[in-house]
Amino acid sequence: MTDFAREEDFRSWGNVVQAAHAVARPFWRDQLTATVSTGRQQGLALLATGLRRSYGDSVLNPAGGMIDMTGLDRIIAFDPDRRLLRAEAGLPLHTLLDLLVRRGFFPPVTPGTRYVTLGGAVANDVHGKNHHVNGTFGRWVRLLGLLRSNGEELQLSPTEHPDLFAATIGGLGLTGLITWVELELTPIDSASMDVENIPFDGVDGFFALARESEGNFDYTVSWIDCLAAGPSLGRGIFSRANHSESGSPLPDRGNTRFSMPLDAPQFAMNRHTINAFNAAYFRNGKRKSGPARVGIHPFFYPLDSIGRWNRLYGKKGMYQYQSVVPPSVQYDATKEMLAAISASGQGSFLAVLKTFGDELSPGLLSFPMEGTTLALDFPNRGEETLRLMARLDEIVLAAGGRLYPAKDGRMPARLFQAGYPAWQAFSKHVDSGFSSLFWQRVSQM
Ligand SMILES: Cc1cc2nc3c(=O)[nH]c(=O)nc-3n(C[C@H](O)[C@H](O)[C@H](O)COP(=O)(O)OP(=O)(O)OC[C@H]3O[C@@H](n4cnc5c(N)ncnc54)[C@H](O)[C@@H]3O)c2cc1C
């Protein structure tokens, strides 16, 4: 378990890079020091992995050694009176939800999939639909354990080793191995969500709904039709929701209804199929708009109902592009990006627009900042797709925005360094025994 074995086809969620990796799979906390030391003796630069729901190369390290943390998934302590949970870093959110929701608690922040580990959520300082209320995941981490490649075991918090804590939250796994996490939970009254879905006709409609909703709704997000053009540019469905005060106490099961057995043929994802899907989805959303009470899973994790949906993009995989731009330019920059995407005819069903609030993120490299975030999947069509993303990069750069490393597999070093001015302060905390393909690319001067 502490040895590294070669795995030929080790991928992240986007499937663009398919490379062999040396992987160790420890199961117990007391095996971690031996695992790290074995890797170092073999001259491997290390990196932890959780459930590999990151899209690009921040969770790849072909020349080094990966430590798969998913075997470390035990709860260490739970104190309902203080709303604190301590667990091993490989614990997945889906297991946590099974335990917490029926006891009247919810994670303070959840991303759009429940297949993420606590360690992965910390290392990417993930955000959710309630960013305007709760900020990022890292704001709720009270303590964590970190193992450095020299064998040193540290306990970090906003007051114990605060600088290393700030580097580790959103630190992309580069400061060492997160071994356990203590998290403050959110109390909830029921396992149901009161949701309202409201269609809007364009970018103006989105911003008007965001302004109107943020004071009264804990969760807001919208799906957009990224191929709509002209007066419909940026049309979509805005969802806003609160935990219901009187819904069912027991969570819905959140079953996976269907799993992609194989990679879909490349032609399945073309302009015409995507356009037809988006138009039908928008019409359907319009018909079904209004208030509804739904379970936690369909509201937070609709994509998890299709197992391995990333295979829909075929063998060449896909890129995700997630940007955030500041409030002063959010309207123009969002419109400009949507116009460029629509004109290119590239895009997918998965396009999300959301405003981030002004809660400060605790990590030196945390992605969220106040403004508007746009996230889209692009089937990998080689040069054509890279050209479109380079055009979007220019808009983000001019707007003073940044891209999300968890979703990225190609951003140029100059965009990373401009978007993350604290990157050099961060690099002083990088453990010299750890590395990733992402870091090798973006930290070049
Ligand atoms: C359908 C879908 C929806 C998503 N929605 C959102 C969203 O709404 N908001 C959002 O923020 N993200 C979102 N994501 C991205 C996802 O939440 C993050 O990539 C998350 O970090 C993945 O967790 P993981 O356990 O799979 O980590 P991995 O992808 O395996 O690893 C992520 C990073 O964490 C590091 N890491 C993992 N475990 C440890 C550890 N124990 N110690 C040190 N470093 C570690 C890795 O080295 C890597 O840098 C989404 C992804 C998908 C597929």
Side-chain angles (χ1 to χ4, degrees), residues 259-271:
S259 208
M260 281 295 289
L262 294 168
D263 294 322
Q266 210 66 35
F267 63 78
M269 229 16 124
N270 61 47
R271 184 187 183 117

Side-chain angles (χ1 to χ4, degrees), residues 116-135:
V116 301
T117 60
L118 288 181
V122 173
N124 276 326
D125 196 13
V126 298
H127 58 271
K129 299 178 174 70
N130 61 347
H131 182 274
H132 59 287
V133 179
N134 274 3

Side-chain angles (χ1 to χ4, degrees), residues 306-319:
I306 306 174
R308 305 204 59 186
W309 58 261
N310 51 345
R311 291 182 144 182
L312 279 167
Y313 290 92
K315 280 200 167 55
K316 291 189 187 151
M318 46 107 169
Y319 289 99

Side-chain angles (χ1 to χ4, degrees), residues 30-86:
D30 61 11
Q31 292 176 326
L32 292 177
T33 310
T35 309
V36 166
S37 124
T38 306
R40 296 306 293 143
Q41 278 159 21
Q42 293 178 8
L44 300 171
L46 303 172
L47 189 69
T49 163
L51 283 163
R52 276 183 272 152
R53 260 31 182 209
S54 299
Y55 283 65
D57 55 0
S58 62
V59 69
L60 296 175
N61 186 24
M66 299 297 303
I67 302 181
D68 180 338
M69 294 293 286
T70 54
L72 285 100
D73 59 355
R74 300 163 194 88
I75 302 240
I76 301 170
F78 176 44
D79 182 343
D81 296 332
R82 294 170 63 219
R83 302 178 188 166
L84 291 180
L85 174 114
R86 187 182 290 199

Side-chain angles (χ1 to χ4, degrees), residues 146-162:
L146 188 74
L147 175 63
R148 304 275 280 182
S149 65
N150 60 6
E152 196 180 8
E153 284 184 64
L154 299 169
Q155 186 165 292
L156 312 182
S157 75
T159 53
E160 284 173 82
H161 305 288

